[in-house]
Amino acid sequence: MSNQEAHPNVRTVASTQSEKTEIVLPNDTNMLGHLLGGRLMHFIDLTAAMAAYRHARTNVVTAAMDHIDFIRPVRLGDLVTLKSSVNRAFTSSMELGVKVWAENTRTGEVAHVASAYLVFVAMDEQGHVQRVPQVKPETPDEMRRYDDALRRREHRERESARRKEAKLAVAALAGAEEKR
Ligand SMILES: CC(C)(COP(=O)(O)OP(=O)(O)OC[C@H]1O[C@@H](n2cnc3c(N)ncnc32)[C@H](O)[C@@H]1OP(=O)(O)O)[C@@H](O)C(=O)NCCC(=O)NCCS
């Protein structure tokens, strides 16, 4: 494969789709026999990373995990399946979506239990941020997620600016107190 083919400027969402299945063991659960939220977040991070690697084809780091809905508990012995894909790429960052299902191994019942959005950033070997290919949404669902990803990025940027302003205001207040 030529370098151009290995690193195209545009990739499809389908080419990034990734999947992972885990069985919930006693070590993964709380006193109620429910999967720990932190353990599920770890599975979510790993599954998102798979899609991010498939999109960027370089090193990636988690920059943000900004929205997780835990819809219902996952129980000891359930099979947890996570599916991820890239929603949209920006310059060096990409938003990934992860959806999680639990399967009761006795009854075969499958339920959607969680969803999350994460941002990953691509990096070169020296740890400098690196450009990523753009995403080509092909289906109506992919186009909806592509549009929504931009809205979520704008929301993240507004929140980050608001937090920075609040920090500066607190620092200015503390400085004024010290001078008194
Ligand atoms: C993520 C990280 C590389 C960003 O570094 P930075 O100096 O802010 O880089 P930049 O300002 O050049 O931003 C690079 C990209 O990251 C995005 N970004 C940075 N911080 C972000 C955040 N908190 N949430 C979402 N996106 C973020 C920027 O929007 C930008 O995207 P774009 O290039 O597509 O426009 C840096 O904060 C980092 O290394 N964090 C630690 C990552 C880590 O250790 N993760 C856990 C283990 S994998």
Side-chain angles (χ1 to χ4, degrees), residues 45 60-66 89-94 119-123 127 129-130 132 153 156-157 160 163:
D45 189 30
V60 293
V61 294
T62 316
M65 191 188 271
D66 69 354
F90 298 96
T91 305
S92 64
S93 67
M94 334 148 242
V119 178
F120 277 69
V121 176
M123 293 205 159
V129 299
Q130 186 180 319
V132 288
R153 175 178 164 98
R156 266 178 227 118
E157 285 173 347
S160 165
R163 280 198 302 268

Side-chain angles (χ1 to χ4, degrees), residues 130-146:
Q130 186 180 319
R131 287 186 87 86
V132 288
Q134 292 306 293
V135 171
K136 182 177 167 208
E138 294 177 303
T139 68
D141 270 348
E142 289 173 8
M143 286 172 195
R144 177 179 49 77
R145 291 186 199 117
Y146 183 89

Side-chain angles (χ1 to χ4, degrees), residues 23-146:
I23 186 158
V24 179
L25 296 171
N27 249 359
D28 303 323
T29 62
N30 62 18
M31 305 297 194
L32 298 169
H34 295 168
L35 176 63
L36 293 162
R39 192 84 177 112
L40 184 55
M41 284 161 74
H42 178 61
F43 295 154
I44 287 171
D45 189 30
L46 291 178
T47 315
M50 293 174 197
Y53 276 118
R54 284 186 167 141
H55 184 75
R57 297 288 173 197
T58 185
N59 303 308
V60 293
V61 294
T62 316
M65 191 188 271
D66 69 354
H67 188 108
I68 305 187
D69 290 318
F70 294 111
I71 299 161
R72 52 187 281 182
V74 181
R75 295 173 205 287
L76 178 64
D78 282 355
L79 293 179
V80 188
T81 297
L82 302 99
K83 291 186 184 181
S84 63
S85 55
V86 67
N87 288 334
R88 185 164 180 152
F90 298 96
T91 305
S92 64
S93 67
M94 334 148 242
E95 187 197 86
L96 295 305
V98 181
K99 202 164 174 182
V100 188
W101 292 265
E103 177 183 340
N104 181 314
T105 52
R106 306 279 162 85
T107 64
E109 186 204 347
V110 176
H112 172 217
V113 293
S115 289
Y117 299 112
L118 300 90
V119 178
F120 277 69
V121 176
M123 293 205 159
D124 64 18
E125 294 302 328
Q126 283 69 46
H128 300 128
V129 299
Q130 186 180 319
R131 287 186 87 86
V132 288
Q134 292 306 293
V135 171
K136 182 177 167 208
E138 294 177 303
T139 68
D141 270 348
E142 289 173 8
M143 286 172 195
R144 177 179 49 77
R145 291 186 199 117
Y146 183 89

